[in-house]
Amino acid sequence: MTNVMNNLNTGLYINGKWVDTEDKKDVINPATGDVLTQVAQANETQTEDAIQAAHAAFPIWKALELKDRVQYLHKVADLLEENADRLAEIMTLEQGKPLKESKLEVIAGAESFRWNAEESRRLYGELIPAPNNHKYEVIYEPIGVVAAITPWNFPSGMITRKLAPALAAGNTVVLKPSSDTPLSALAIFELFEQAEFPEGVVNIVMGSSKEIGQAFTDSNIVKKLTFTGSTPIGKALYEQSAQTLKKMSLELGGHAPFIVNKDADLDAAVKGLIAAKFRNNGQVCIAPNRIFVHNAIKDAFMKKLIPAVEALKVGNGMNEDSNVGPLIREDAIDKIKQQIIDATDKGATLVTGGHRLTEGEYAKGFFMQPTVLDNVNKTMDIFYEETFGPVIPVITFDTLEEVIEMANDTEYGLASYAYANDSSAIQYISRNLEYGMVGINEVAISNAETPFGGVKHSGFGRENSHLGIKEYVTAKFVNTKYL
Ligand SMILES: NC(=O)c1ccc[n+]([C@@H]2O[C@H](COP(=O)([O-])OP(=O)(O)OC[C@H]3O[C@@H](n4cnc5c(N)ncnc54)[C@H](O)[C@@H]3O)[C@@H](O)[C@H]2O)c1
Ligand SMILES: N[C@@H](CC=O)C(=O)O
């Protein structure tokens, strides 16, 4: 066990107490295949205990004076910043991403707590002019118990992005983190404990995803389910929640187009593409997955792109010189390899990479070469399937109408990007892309201040920004008649 794991609590956290269980699950380091530690696995009763604890704590948390609630959130932000190095190391060990990416993620989580603490002060209601001598008021109130289910690709960021607005708005929470990366979640819960949150306000359960998911969706106490993960699981949870009519936010899969127009600054486009595609080794819902390059600049673009991809150093995320870490599991490598085989069988050209790394330092981890595929087209699986790995598929186009049609030809609608200079082209592209987010000459589209979320089968609801906290409140109308 590495030092950073030594004192980490690995139990469930229910009603302000760490709860150990008989049943345990290994947590694996994807860079080495080593077992890092084992974590507790909840049974049905413990999941129900967590829901009940959040239910009992709701009136207390909701009734807290706003200034006091705000202080709790700022305290968490302080603790995240103070403990950023430790949390980053835990994240890299369980998830694989380079340490500097992990640290940025923890710091972004602190920012999320600060933003939402301050945003809770601005949950203004409304005074509506009444047509009589009544008073028409709209008040925003917390919903109640919020259940949150999060994925492994951002083991800390996807949690802070949900818990910060939920708590800031006055709700209590039960979290189920991904079974692949529960340690970052546990480390955050240690900080809640240090911040002395009232018992039951924050609870964490780990265990069978299906059973915990079912307990959340069946519960009449859980008033809101916020989920980030794959589209098929999101749809299943949506269906399961019908009987209890939950308010939901679904942040699901993506398959982002990245358009390089003929007038683009190619150096900027390559830089942006490398940053966005190889962040977390392509295991990002907003990663560029289909690279549309105008025929007129295709050769010049490839000349710049290929050396930039080949210069990336793949390695254990704990090593300072690693740009790209391992993939999360063996089956993630299999899926990428299958997409590459399918594409090359159907006529794509493998320009660089394409293979699993298995020798020396790579022997026991899940490492894959950064890969570029040229001559990709719609007959190939990679055109339609979410990639979630280090593969750049290049597709060419001649007109903006043609590229917009191809870019929108997907069930997903999360992030999209374009590099262009002509203002009419920019206007045409940004207005016609059917996506929740569009980055023009920029790939940084995920900030505390701006709305994050998708359309189509990428889900609904928005995280971050002033819209994010509104997902965790209900609008109550009060009509007062003066007698
Ligand atoms: N839109 C976004 O903001 C966003 C952000 C990050 C990741 N994602 C998406 O997440 C996916 C990758 O994450 P993943 O592999 O962890 O996704 P996943 O859907 O397999 O799992 C997500 C979470 O759901 C849980 N889960 C799995 N089966 C369940 C069930 N039957 N009932 C209840 N919970 C269940 C998992 O344990 C995990 O906690 C990708 O599709 C990616 O695009 C989306
Ligand atoms: N956490 C990512 C999105 C999901 O994979 C981001 O905020 O950019």
Side-chain angles (χ1 to χ4, degrees), residues 149-153 158 161 176-179 209-210 213 227-231 233 237 251-254 285 386 388 414 452:
I149 302 181
T150 52
W152 51 264
N153 64 339
M158 297 300 97
R161 188 184 273 193
K176 193 211 83 66
S178 167
S179 340
S209 301
K210 205 168 169 34
F227 172 79
T228 297
S230 61
T231 295
I233 302 292
L237 290 168
E251 294 285 350
L252 309 178
C285 55
E386 187 179 31
F388 247 58
L414 190 59
F452 186 103

Side-chain angles (χ1 to χ4, degrees), residues 105 153-154 157-158 161 228 279-280 283-287 388 414 445-447 452 464:
E105 187 175 330
N153 64 339
F154 288 85
M158 297 300 97
R161 188 184 273 193
T228 297
R279 173 177 175 230
N280 198 13
Q283 302 171 111
V284 182
C285 55
I286 57 171
F388 247 58
L414 190 59
I445 53 168
S446 177
N447 317 292
F452 186 103
N464 298 339

Side-chain angles (χ1 to χ4, degrees), residues 260-313:
V260 187
N261 199 25
K262 59 185 174 191
D263 60 342
D265 176 332
L266 297 189
D267 290 315
V270 168
K271 192 165 170 226
L273 177 57
I274 296 284
K277 179 73 233 186
F278 295 103
R279 173 177 175 230
N280 198 13
N281 209 1
Q283 302 171 111
V284 182
C285 55
I286 57 171
N289 277 352
R290 292 165 302 142
I291 318 308
F292 297 104
V293 184
H294 196 286
N295 258 317
I297 44 98
K298 157 87 181 302
D299 292 347
F301 178 76
M302 295 301 270
K303 262 194 202 136
K304 290 177 188 287
L305 176 68
I306 294 157
V309 172
E310 289 176 344
L312 293 168
K313 167 82 177 96

Side-chain angles (χ1 to χ4, degrees), residues 185-198:
L186 292 166
I188 293 172
F189 271 67
E190 288 186 343
L191 303 185
F192 285 132
E193 189 183 31
Q194 282 179 42
E196 298 179 0
F197 269 59

